[in-house]
Amino acid sequence: MNSSKEKQSKLKYVKLKDVLACFVFLFMLPAALIAKIFIRNFWLVGEEKNEARDNGYWFFKYVRENHPERKIAYVINKKCTDFEKVKNLGKVIQWGSLSHWFWYLTAQKNISSQKGCKPNPAACYLFEVKLRVWRNKRYFLQHGITINDAKWLYNKNCRFELFVCGAKPEYEYVKEKFGYPENNVKLLGFCRFDGLHNFVAEKNVILVMPTWRSYLVRSHSGIQRSELINQFISTDYFKKWSEFLTSEKLNAMLSGSGCKIIFYPHRNMQIFLDKFKQLSLSENIEIANPEELSVQQAMKNAACLITDYSSVFFDFAYMGKPVIFYQFDEEAFRAYQYSQGYFDYHNNPLGKWSGNLDDCLCQLSNEINCGFEKSDSALEFFEFYDGDNCKRNYEAIAGKK
């Protein structure tokens, strides 16, 4: 009974928050309209609330270092760890504040690696996309290369002025299927790719990066956090990854080769990290601390990647390093999360597929025995392999009127 009331109260709170945000939107709008007369060509850049480590950060850093005359700011939670990375680069705005609302509505161009990089995504979606009463210009740098039929990124649901692609088949897929005007989709390469050159990998590090499951965290807003976390241990996701991490065969393999594993789940699954830390893990397995180790640095350090469906494998393949796909829940993933896109995990030049633990460990053993041999086969997926991705993105955005 109490649990039911808690759920209803939580859902009401979420809806009330979005309704109040609509009033804030309308309240700030007159000030923004006046400000636009005097403040021209202002750009606002952002990512997730607590992050400066993705395409948005690399873009902002490039602009501040190469075009200091440009009026631009970065929006982030100033209490987060990543604030230290941007505070000395230029103007920084507190996420979710009235200042965020003001500059979001005043900006000529809102640039982000995340669809939801707004003071309130629900309110902004209502006025910008659904009702179309406020037609600001939004530029989507992307968070990961699109490989699935992501209907929420269709033009009718986003209306991006620019949709940046990082790989050739992705570009063709988005251009053909997502409904954007031809000039709104461009193959420019991801800004963060500029940081994937001139690195030295640790030859004994294996990075394990499973992606999230929306159907496991979807109810996060409807129940208490502690209840959600306790329910997580009964899921197939937790059981299968626990089986992987505590495998005697894996631990023998690691001990015999001198390798170690860094387990680094998707940000949306990191609320469950303590459950993985409670497992009886060998000294060869480490649960990553996301505040101390960024995704990109983890990928650059590692010699091999094991993931399920995460598009970070493209970054890894871009560096020419081996990838193993471990997909124990393919049917459920396709049914409840992402529909199949253009990429065939079973047959591709970027990684080896496995559907069960034994096959995954066999693939890993082969990679260890081969010394994690590098390959340039992934380069056929990328139009560019250089350090000018930020430059291309900047020129494309600056060139859009």
Side-chain angles (χ1 to χ4, degrees), residues 32 36 39-47 55-57 59-61 63-64 70-78 90-114 116-120 124 128 134 136-141 394 397:
K36 278 180 172 288
I39 304 173
R40 298 182 179 276
N41 299 320
F42 179 84
W43 295 5
L44 184 63
V45 184
E47 295 179 352
N55 293 316
Y57 164 72
F59 180 82
F60 181 68
K61 182 174 182 290
V63 175
R64 291 300 303 144
R70 173 67 64 186
K71 290 181 286 187
I72 190 170
Y74 194 90
V75 59
I76 193 172
N77 174 18
K78 294 183 179 180
K91 182 178 178 66
V92 180
I93 295 167
Q94 173 61 38
W95 184 288
S97 64
L98 287 178
S99 180
H100 186 184
W101 278 103
F102 174 79
W103 289 111
Y104 178 81
L105 294 171
T106 301
Q108 181 204 27
K109 300 183 178 184
N110 280 287
I111 305 160
S112 175
S113 61
Q114 304 289 339
C117 184
K118 303 173 173 69
N120 180 279
C124 293
E128 295 168 355
W134 184 248
N136 65 350
K137 295 183 177 181
R138 285 162 289 116
Y139 299 76
F140 188 42
L141 303 181
Y394 175 81
I397 293 173

Side-chain angles (χ1 to χ4, degrees), residues 70-246:
R70 173 67 64 186
K71 290 181 286 187
I72 190 170
Y74 194 90
V75 59
I76 193 172
N77 174 18
K78 294 183 179 180
K79 294 181 180 180
C80 74
T81 303
D82 281 4
F83 171 62
E84 296 296 319
K85 297 173 64 175
V86 292
K87 69 177 184 180
N88 295 321
L89 284 177
K91 182 178 178 66
V92 180
I93 295 167
Q94 173 61 38
W95 184 288
S97 64
L98 287 178
S99 180
H100 186 184
W101 278 103
F102 174 79
W103 289 111
Y104 178 81
L105 294 171
T106 301
Q108 181 204 27
K109 300 183 178 184
N110 280 287
I111 305 160
S112 175
S113 61
Q114 304 289 339
K115 180 185 175 184
C117 184
K118 303 173 173 69
N120 180 279
C124 293
Y125 173 80
L126 175 66
F127 291 113
E128 295 168 355
V129 178
K130 202 72 175 175
L131 301 179
R132 302 195 72 186
V133 297
W134 184 248
R135 300 189 182 185
N136 65 350
K137 295 183 177 181
R138 285 162 289 116
Y139 299 76
F140 188 42
L141 303 181
Q142 286 214 77
H143 163 61
I145 286 177
T146 298
I147 50 180
N148 301 297
D149 186 10
K151 293 180 174 59
W152 60 93
L153 295 179
Y154 282 13
N155 182 46
K156 65 181 181 180
N157 297 322
C158 298
R159 304 195 185 280
F160 293 128
E161 188 73 13
L162 178 66
F163 191 121
V164 175
C165 293
K168 287 187 283 188
E170 173 203 34
Y171 169 67
E172 297 297 339
Y173 184 69
V174 171
K175 190 171 62 169
E176 175 186 347
K177 194 173 181 67
F178 284 30
Y180 286 90
E182 185 175 355
N183 290 332
N184 288 39
V185 181
K186 292 189 180 297
L187 176 56
L188 304 172
F190 282 179
C191 292
R192 68 170 183 256
F193 286 176
D194 285 350
L196 298 180
H197 299 268
N198 302 319
F199 63 90
V200 178
E202 297 181 41
K203 295 182 179 179
N204 65 333
V205 174
I206 300 158
L207 182 63
V208 179
M209 297 192 74
T211 193
W212 71 310
R213 301 295 187 275
S214 60
Y215 44 94
L216 299 185
V217 298
R218 182 177 289 141
S219 57
H220 185 40
S221 61
I223 65 177
Q224 288 187 335
R225 180 188 176 103
S226 58
E227 184 180 346
L228 179 72
I229 294 173
N230 287 332
Q231 290 178 1
F232 176 69
I233 61 174
S234 65
T235 65
D236 201 37
Y237 183 98
F238 179 73
K239 290 176 180 178
K240 290 295 185 180
W241 283 114
S242 297
E243 179 189 29
F244 174 88
L245 293 171
T246 59

Side-chain angles (χ1 to χ4, degrees), residues 9-54:
S9 175
K10 187 70 174 178
L11 288 171
K12 287 180 180 178
Y13 169 74
V14 172
K15 292 178 181 178
L16 178 60
K17 181 179 68 173
D18 295 339
V19 170
L20 291 175
C22 290
F23 285 104
V24 176
F25 188 108
L26 295 173
F27 174 76
M28 296 299 296
L29 198 54
L33 288 170
I34 294 171
K36 278 180 172 288
I37 300 172
F38 304 98
I39 304 173
R40 298 182 179 276
N41 299 320
F42 179 84
W43 295 5
L44 184 63
V45 184
E47 295 179 352
E48 284 286 334
K49 176 181 179 179
N50 295 309
E51 290 189 1
R53 55 182 66 182
D54 206 333

Side-chain angles (χ1 to χ4, degrees), residues 332-400:
F333 186 83
R334 291 302 176 203
Y336 301 116
Q337 183 141 331
Y338 295 150
S339 299
Q340 180 70 44
Y342 62 87
F343 188 81
D344 184 358
Y345 285 96
H346 291 252
N347 184 22
N348 65 84
L350 307 189
K352 300 292 193 301
W353 185 86
S354 55
N356 58 64
L357 181 59
D358 286 339
D359 286 348
C360 178
L361 295 183
C362 181
Q363 298 284 6
L364 179 58
S365 178
N366 290 339
E367 292 296 345
I368 291 174
N369 292 335
C370 292
F372 303 115
E373 187 176 359
K374 296 190 70 173
S375 168
D376 60 0
S377 61
L379 296 185
E380 65 184 77
F381 275 74
F382 303 98
E383 182 74 14
F384 312 103
Y385 187 77
D386 56 30
D388 292 328
N389 296 283
C390 287
K391 180 180 179 182
R392 281 189 293 274
N393 276 254
Y394 175 81
E395 290 174 349
I397 293 173
K400 279 272 190 180

